[in-house]
Amino acid sequence: MDRIKNRKPILYLVIPCYNEEAVLPVTKDLFLGELELLVNKGKIHEDSRILYVDDGSRDRTWEMICQMADEETRILGIRQSRNRGHQNALLAGLMEAKYHCDITISMDCDGQDDVEAAEKMVDAWAQGNEVVYGVRSSREVDTFFKRITAQGFYRFLSLMGAEVVYNHADYRLMSSRCLKEMADYQEVNLFLRGLVPLVGFPSTTVEYARKERMAGTTHYPLKKMIALAMDGITSLSIRPLRLITGLGFILAVFSLLGVIWAFVEAVRGNTVDGWASTMCVVCLMSGIQLLCLGVIGEYVGKIYMETKRRPRYIICDKTPGFPERGQ
């Protein structure tokens, strides 16, 4: 069914920002231009908007968002009470947008996500898909180190049992129907790349070429990528715990064989005091035990944070003229 023929959808571009005063003026016209193009082509409603989410920035990001909203009615903004991380900021924008639109497209504000792919996403939604994932066609703009670590990131997540779309970050279209269902997922430890596929609904992918950052510096270094991977694995999969169980079983079997071998050698009178071999075994087993405890500790820590039921985001400010829920 061609849904656009029945009614033009209201689209919200949801764009999280953190210390992005350098890039906001550069990409604003890019986003507005794509929005206007889609309106002129009759693919989205003229009430479509750009929603910036300030994640507790320490520079002039919020001031600039307010200024842009004053100058342009199609720009809206919300501000978190403090910095809570990219995933929480994105969730805040999506959950707020679902009251005012039919579809959302989330993207970074640095201009690296090809905004022209938004039209293909809207077309895919019109064909009946509730979720459309933006997938990178190549990583030519990345450094060799960035390319290797990013590809390893997705493969490692899949290996550990986290369901993710390969080479997909957070550039995606989601319908308000899908967002309303996702609101029932109350995880505090967020990993939206793995959470969205769990919601289900018909989905597809759209390929795009990722560009160079237009201004400013990246806020997602290797350290944050590793932290995100750990959140994704421990939030969506228990495979590491099962691997520990399997490792423990294998070590128990080898230990039993070692005991039998030691007993046989002792009976044969071939035993010799060996400090080096003893220390090697002790160090190996100690290292494995600490590693296993660390993995288990990650899960215990996640359980601890989930039981607190703290809010995932707190919106402290909105730009003037922000629509009330239900409008």
Side-chain angles (χ1 to χ4, degrees):
M1 181 180 66
D2 192 338
R3 293 186 281 192
I4 283 188
K5 290 182 179 179
N6 298 330
R7 183 173 68 86
K8 296 177 184 177
I10 297 176
L11 166 66
Y12 269 46
L13 295 179
V14 180
I15 305 172
C17 309
Y18 178 65
N19 292 343
E20 297 289 5
E21 63 177 358
V23 79
L24 283 174
V26 179
T27 57
K28 179 192 71 171
D29 292 337
L30 189 69
F31 299 141
L32 283 172
E34 183 65 19
L35 203 67
E36 186 174 352
L37 177 65
L38 293 176
V39 171
N40 292 338
K41 286 186 175 182
K43 295 191 175 184
I44 61 174
H45 197 276
E46 61 183 8
D47 289 338
S48 298
R49 298 288 185 266
I50 299 173
L51 174 57
Y52 288 101
V53 185
D54 178 25
D55 188 23
S57 298
R58 293 174 292 182
D59 59 3
R60 297 179 58 252
T61 295
W62 177 244
E63 180 182 337
M64 297 180 68
I65 291 174
C66 292
Q67 181 180 348
M68 291 190 300
D70 288 338
E71 298 171 352
E72 174 57 65
T73 57
R74 291 173 294 180
I75 292 180
L76 302 171
I78 59 177
R79 185 186 190 188
Q80 293 219 81
S81 60
R82 54 156 293 173
N83 176 250
R84 297 176 185 272
H86 177 271
Q87 297 291 282
N88 295 75
L90 180 54
L91 180 72
L94 293 174
M95 291 298 102
E96 190 63 37
K98 75 177 187 291
Y99 296 104
H100 313 294
C101 67
D102 300 298
I103 53 177
T104 64
I105 294 180
S106 58
M107 63 177 66
D108 293 336
C109 69
D110 55 16
Q112 288 190 284
D113 296 327
D114 183 10
V115 70
E116 295 179 2
E119 183 175 353
K120 296 179 182 178
M121 292 183 176
V122 174
D123 291 341
W125 172 84
Q127 295 168 5
N129 294 286
E130 301 288 344
V131 182
V132 184
Y133 301 100
V135 176
R136 296 182 62 166
S137 57
S138 68
R139 288 186 171 272
E140 294 179 356
V141 299
D142 291 343
T143 63
F144 175 78
F145 179 75
K146 173 68 174 178
R147 189 182 310 120
I148 294 299
T149 54
Q151 291 174 344
F153 169 81
Y154 290 103
R155 292 193 176 97
F156 183 64
L157 285 174
S158 298
L159 181 64
M160 289 294 103
E163 183 180 351
V164 293
V165 178
Y166 185 72
N167 265 344
H168 164 70
D170 288 300
Y171 188 17
R172 73 178 72 87
L173 178 148
M174 295 182 68
S175 67
S176 58
R177 177 190 178 196
C178 183
L179 289 172
K180 289 172 184 175
E181 296 299 331
M182 194 176 75
D184 292 333
Y185 287 74
Q186 298 296 317
E187 285 95 333
V188 174
N189 302 283
L190 282 175
F191 184 67
L192 294 177
R193 302 179 198 184
L195 188 61
V196 173
L198 293 179
V199 180
F201 292 114
S203 64
T204 188
T205 61
V206 166
E207 288 192 349
Y208 71 98
R210 192 165 171 85
K211 304 176 182 179
E212 295 280 359
R213 185 181 178 91
M214 291 188 172
T217 57
T218 181
H219 302 292
Y220 232 77
L222 179 61
K223 180 181 178 181
K224 286 190 176 182
M225 184 182 292
I226 294 174
L228 183 64
M230 290 301 298
D231 282 340
I233 294 168
T234 54
S235 298
L236 299 170
S237 173
I238 61 170
R239 184 170 294 179
L241 295 177
R242 290 177 175 171
L243 290 176
I244 288 176
T245 302
L247 178 62
F249 176 78
I250 293 172
L251 290 176
V253 171
F254 276 102
S255 298
L256 178 61
L257 294 176
V259 169
I260 295 174
W261 173 79
F263 178 77
V264 171
E265 290 298 305
V267 170
R268 296 175 60 186
N270 295 330
T271 57
V272 177
D273 293 337
W275 177 86
S277 59
T278 302
M279 290 302 298
C280 288
V281 172
V282 170
C283 291
L284 174 63
M285 295 304 299
S286 298
I288 292 175
Q289 287 176 342
L290 288 175
L291 175 62
C292 294
L293 287 174
V295 174
I296 295 171
E298 282 289 327
Y299 280 92
V300 173
K302 290 293 188 298
I303 295 171
Y304 173 70
M305 295 303 297
E306 293 289 344
T307 56
K308 288 178 176 291
R309 310 304 300 169
R310 289 174 176 170
R312 296 175 291 182
Y313 59 87
I314 297 175
I315 299 173
C316 65
D317 287 307
K318 297 181 180 180
T319 52
F322 197 98
E324 296 294 331
R325 293 181 181 181
Q327 290 188 353

